[in-house]
């Protein structure tokens, strides 16, 4: 057996096995050292432990085991159940052993170090070709890649209102992680060899952000219920902000302020957040049960915010409310079916929001030449000025439209075709011109907008010509529109071919004139 040191805590027992450069570690426990010597340690513990919530870490010179007690706050005077079976290879770690009855951390800080695993070594179990429907910049795409199953994983599959983790498997980016029963399916772009030992790395910045938002949601949900009786019916962890749907038609400003003060008070109190894994038939499950997925497998996972909330949850969470840093309630919105959406930010998102808001504020100071307290008044004045200018400009455009039409009508050599493009203008501007021109005899082609960009168009004239040429104009301008009674108008995605359209329409009119002659 390997030499071992152990010590006791309120909720945890720690054992450190001394092995030089251990490999092939199995928590039976047996392993080999760098000289290929095999070590095997067997113990009958003093009391029961939670096997699903105990952890191990392998280092160059030690294998550290952290055991979670079934009965917390119950001291273990020795590591073994039978005091007569003395193991010479076990010793007490007097440097870490101390009377824990009056300590507050309960070994939590050490447990956190075990819990926050960002890198992990495991084995590829299977790798199959697959496709993934993926959204990139608002456009849906189908990606071809591979679904990979690992012997174990630290990457969280999406579920419980929380998005999935991103990360790497052997330096291959993981694009999506989903759950199929008890299995996590990793979608990657490149294949991985079955049986290959791989290192898994989690994108810790994304993971920690999700931990903060998810634990923040649990805290808000619990206190909204306790303080006001508002039940949470659903929630969404968004990219920019998170939303909790509360089963209430409204929420008063005083309630919003009171809830924000209460959650931040709990954060300052650094309340522990622990994970319990219970069997499906454990009586404690009934107290927190809200229904399980049909494909659920394995133990029931309970997230316990000490003295505040205990609920089933598959997501990732902080180990202490102090890790949330701060929660900011941005406000409420009217939800579906007489419900209210509570919008919030937690942790680093609050800091980023404050930084962005400050940058915006400094930019507004530079533009408006006023202090932050005067920004609303300054923008209000600008809006009123813009509205007045727009009204004046619209009046001038209307007058201009009339003059343009009259100028054409008064021209003795006007012909039977009129074309005009203007950067500024709208549908009303074009229709005024068309109304002032005798379109029973004249074909009118009008456009407004960027010279080679998007804009508006109007084709007016003899009904037969407009019905014939309208669809062709629409196609040339890559637009959308419709027509009737001698008018065809719509939106143009591109006015780049306007000149070609004008030449074609002009030739059409000349052909019509020659036929009449």
């Amino acid at each position: 057996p390997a030499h071992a040191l152990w010590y006791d805590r309120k909720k945890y027992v720690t054992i450190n096995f001394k092995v030089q450069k251990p490999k092939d570690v199995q928590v039976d426990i047996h392993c080999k050292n760098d000289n290929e010597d095999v070590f095997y340690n067997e113990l009958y513990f003093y009391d029961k432990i939670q096997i699903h919530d105990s952890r191990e870490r392998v280092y160059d010179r030690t294998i550290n085991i952290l055991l979670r007690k079934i009965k917390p706050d119950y001291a273990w005077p020795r590591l073994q159940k039978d005091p007569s079976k003395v193991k010479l290879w076990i010793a007490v770690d007097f440097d870490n052993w101390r009377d824990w009855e009056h300590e507050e951390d309960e070994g939590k800080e050490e447990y956190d170090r075990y819990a926050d695993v960002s890198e992990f070594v495991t084995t590829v179990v299977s790798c199959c070709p697959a496709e993934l429907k993926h959204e990139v910049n608002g456009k849906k795409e189908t990606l071809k890649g591979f679904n990979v199953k690992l012997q174990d994983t630290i990457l969280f599959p999406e579920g419980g209102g929380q998005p999935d983790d991103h990360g790497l498997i052997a330096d291959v980016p993981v694009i999506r992680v989903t759950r199929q029963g008890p299995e996590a399916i990793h979608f990657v772009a490149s294949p991985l060899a079955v049986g290959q030992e791989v290192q898994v790395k989690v994108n810790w910045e994304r993971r920690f952000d999700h931990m903060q938002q998810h634990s923040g949601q649990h805290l808000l949900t619990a206190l909204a219920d306790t303080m006001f009786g508002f039940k949470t019916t659903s929630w969404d962890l968004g990219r920019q902000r998170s939303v909790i749907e509360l089963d209430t038609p409204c929420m008063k400003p005083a309630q919003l302020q009171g809830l924000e003060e209460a959650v931040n008070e709990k954060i300052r109190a650094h309340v522990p957040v622990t994970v319990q894994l219970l069997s499906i038939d454990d009586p404690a499950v009934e107290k927190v049960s809200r229904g399980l997925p049909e494909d659920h497998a394995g133990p029931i996972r309970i997230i316990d915010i000490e003295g505040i909330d205990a609920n089933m949850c598959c997501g990732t969470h902080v180990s202490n409310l102090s890790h949330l840093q701060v929660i900011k309630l941005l406000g409420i919105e009217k939800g579906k079916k007489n419900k209210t959406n509570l919008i919030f930010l937690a942790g680093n998102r609050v800091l980023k929001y404050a930084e962005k808001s400050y940058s915006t504020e400094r930019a507004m100071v530079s533009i408006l030449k006023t202090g932050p307290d005067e920004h609303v008044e300054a923008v209000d004045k600008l809006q009123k000025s813009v509205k007045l200018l727009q009204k004046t400009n619209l009046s001038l455009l209307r007058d201009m439209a009339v003059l343009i039409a009259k100028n054409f009508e008064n021209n003795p050599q006007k012909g039977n075709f009129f074309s005009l493009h203007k950067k500024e203008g709208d549908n009303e501007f074009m229709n005024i011109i068309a109304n002032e021109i005798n379109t029973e005899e004249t074909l009118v082609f009008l456009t407004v907008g960027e010279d080679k960009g998007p804009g508006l168009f109007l084709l007016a004239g003899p009904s037969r010509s407009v019905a014939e040429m309208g669809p062709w104009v629409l196609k040339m301008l890559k637009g959308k529109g419709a027509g009737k009674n001698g008018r065809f108008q719509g939106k143009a995605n591109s006015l780049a071919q306007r000149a070609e359209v004008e030449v074609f329409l002009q030739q059409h009119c000349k052909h019509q004139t020659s036929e009449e002659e």
Side-chain angles (χ1 to χ4, degrees):
H3 184 67
L5 294 174
W6 81 284
Y7 56 91
D8 187 34
R9 283 288 182 271
K10 277 191 175 186
K11 294 184 178 180
Y12 314 100
V13 172
T14 299
I15 315 173
N16 294 328
F17 292 90
K18 305 294 183 180
V19 180
Q20 285 282 90
K21 296 183 178 179
K23 59 184 178 180
D24 300 334
V25 177
Q26 296 180 27
V27 186
D28 284 306
I29 299 171
H30 77 266
C31 67
K32 297 178 182 178
N33 66 3
D34 55 343
N35 293 324
E36 298 296 321
D37 299 319
V38 177
F39 294 86
Y40 183 83
N41 294 63
E42 185 176 75
L43 281 167
Y44 291 90
F45 294 131
Y46 176 78
D47 206 341
K48 293 181 179 180
I49 64 166
Q50 295 187 18
I51 60 172
H52 296 296
D53 203 17
S54 297
R55 306 170 188 273
E56 73 274 356
R57 281 281 186 90
V58 179
Y59 297 98
D60 280 347
R61 296 184 179 180
T62 62
I63 304 163
N64 293 1
I65 311 294
L66 195 69
L67 309 174
R68 180 162 183 145
K69 300 175 181 177
I70 288 285
K71 295 185 287 186
D73 302 339
Y74 179 70
W76 285 23
R78 57 185 180 275
L79 187 60
Q80 302 172 89
K81 189 175 186 65
D82 190 343
S84 63
K85 294 184 178 181
V86 178
K87 304 288 188 183
L88 297 178
W89 47 269
I90 298 177
V92 175
D93 186 351
F94 288 105
D95 290 336
N96 284 294
W97 187 288
R98 58 180 180 271
D99 178 13
W100 48 252
E101 292 183 6
H102 303 292
E103 71 178 19
E104 294 183 359
D105 66 3
E106 301 179 349
K108 200 76 181 68
E109 183 177 350
E110 180 167 5
Y111 184 78
D112 293 344
R113 291 200 299 270
Y114 283 75
D116 295 340
V117 181
S118 59
E119 296 185 10
F120 181 71
V121 176
T122 186
T123 305
V124 177
V125 174
S126 67
C127 179
C128 305
E131 291 184 348
L132 174 69
K133 291 182 179 179
H134 194 57
E135 190 171 302
V136 180
N137 298 324
K139 294 182 179 180
K140 292 184 178 179
E141 297 180 355
T142 299
L143 302 179
K144 291 188 176 182
F146 301 85
N147 279 340
V148 173
K149 289 183 183 180
L150 302 174
Q151 188 173 2
D152 204 349
T153 186
I154 57 172
L155 298 180
F156 174 74
E158 58 188 2
Q162 179 179 327
D164 57 341
D165 279 336
H166 289 175
L168 300 171
I169 301 177
D171 296 326
V172 176
V174 177
I175 301 169
R176 179 74 56 81
V177 189
T178 54
R179 185 177 68 87
Q180 290 182 3
E183 303 285 351
I185 308 299
H186 309 76
F187 183 86
V188 296
S190 305
L192 295 164
V194 175
Q196 175 186 356
E197 189 176 84
V198 292
Q199 185 177 50
V200 182
K201 295 181 180 179
V202 64
N203 180 331
W204 183 250
E205 183 179 357
R206 176 183 170 91
R207 159 74 72 83
F208 189 60
D209 172 58
H210 291 173
M211 289 164 61
Q212 288 185 318
Q213 309 315 308
H214 204 157
S215 296
Q217 176 264 314
H218 275 230
L219 179 60
L220 282 165
T221 288
L223 293 185
D225 188 9
T226 303
M227 295 171 66
F228 311 116
F230 298 160
K231 302 291 184 183
T232 292
T233 50
S234 67
W235 88 290
D236 176 59
L237 199 168
R239 293 180 181 178
Q240 304 295 330
R241 61 182 195 172
S242 297
V243 180
I244 297 174
E245 184 184 69
L246 297 174
D247 193 8
T248 178
C250 64
M251 191 172 186
K252 298 176 181 178
Q255 292 174 322
L256 196 69
Q257 181 180 350
L259 181 59
E260 182 174 284
E261 290 174 355
V263 294
N264 284 296
E265 182 180 340
K266 297 299 182 184
I267 291 171
R268 290 191 294 272
H270 52 85
V271 177
V273 180
T274 56
V275 178
Q276 298 179 50
L277 293 173
L278 307 178
S279 62
I280 190 72
D281 56 352
D282 194 310
V285 172
E286 296 182 7
K287 298 179 181 179
V288 294
S289 177
R290 290 184 297 185
L292 290 169
E294 293 181 0
D295 60 349
H296 170 78
I300 308 299
R301 190 167 182 266
I302 308 298
I303 304 300
D304 187 358
I305 305 177
E306 191 173 283
I308 298 173
D309 181 57
N311 265 306
M312 291 190 300
C313 183
C314 64
T316 58
H317 291 267
V318 298
S319 55
N320 192 291
L321 290 187
S322 63
H323 298 167
L324 296 181
Q325 300 166 282
V326 65
I327 288 179
K328 178 61 186 173
L329 303 184
L330 297 181
I332 57 173
E333 293 176 351
K334 187 177 180 180
K336 300 177 181 177
K337 298 180 180 179
N338 213 28
K339 296 180 181 180
T340 297
N341 292 332
L342 176 64
I343 306 160
F344 77 95
L345 304 174
N348 289 335
R349 290 195 182 189
V350 180
L351 300 180
K352 291 178 181 179
Y353 184 81
E355 182 181 358
K356 184 178 180 181
S357 297
Y358 181 72
S359 297
T360 302
E361 180 183 286
R362 299 316 302 162
M364 293 295 287
V365 167
S366 177
I367 293 169
L368 299 175
K369 309 300 181 186
T370 61
D373 294 339
E374 300 169 339
H375 283 172
V376 174
E377 184 181 352
V379 171
D380 184 56
K381 286 181 179 179
L382 280 174
Q383 284 185 324
K384 289 177 180 177
S385 297
V386 168
K387 286 180 181 179
L388 181 60
L389 287 171
Q390 287 175 336
K391 187 176 180 180
T392 303
N393 186 50
L394 185 60
S395 179
L396 289 171
L397 280 172
R398 287 170 179 166
D399 293 341
M400 185 184 296
V402 173
L403 290 172
I404 289 171
K406 286 184 177 181
N407 186 54
F408 172 76
E409 285 292 318
N410 294 330
N411 185 353
Q413 299 178 338
K414 61 183 181 181
N416 62 350
F417 177 69
F418 176 74
S419 176
L420 175 73
H421 171 74
K422 191 167 181 62
K423 191 174 182 179
E424 304 83 7
D426 55 13
N427 279 318
E428 185 179 6
F429 172 75
M430 293 189 295
N431 277 294
I432 289 173
I433 294 176
N435 290 339
E436 294 292 326
I437 295 176
N438 182 7
T439 54
E440 291 182 2
E441 300 177 355
T442 307
L443 185 64
V444 177
F445 177 51
L446 306 171
T447 55
V448 294
E450 297 296 327
D451 291 343
K452 293 186 179 181
L456 304 172
F457 74 90
L458 170 64
L459 182 68
S463 298
R464 183 178 175 183
S465 295
V466 171
E468 181 183 344
M469 306 305 297
W472 184 84
V473 172
L474 191 68
K475 183 179 179 182
M476 291 289 287
L477 299 182
K478 300 176 183 177
K480 292 182 179 180
K484 64 178 180 178
N485 300 328
R487 294 207 178 183
F488 199 107
Q489 62 188 96
K491 293 182 179 179
N493 287 325
S494 174
L495 294 174
Q497 290 185 285
R498 188 194 184 284
E500 289 91 328
V501 174
E502 182 177 323
V503 170
F504 186 82
L505 292 174
Q506 202 166 20
Q507 289 175 347
H508 171 78
C509 289
K510 287 180 179 179
H511 180 70
Q512 289 290 104
T513 302
S514 62
E515 281 187 350
E516 291 173 2
E517 290 176 353

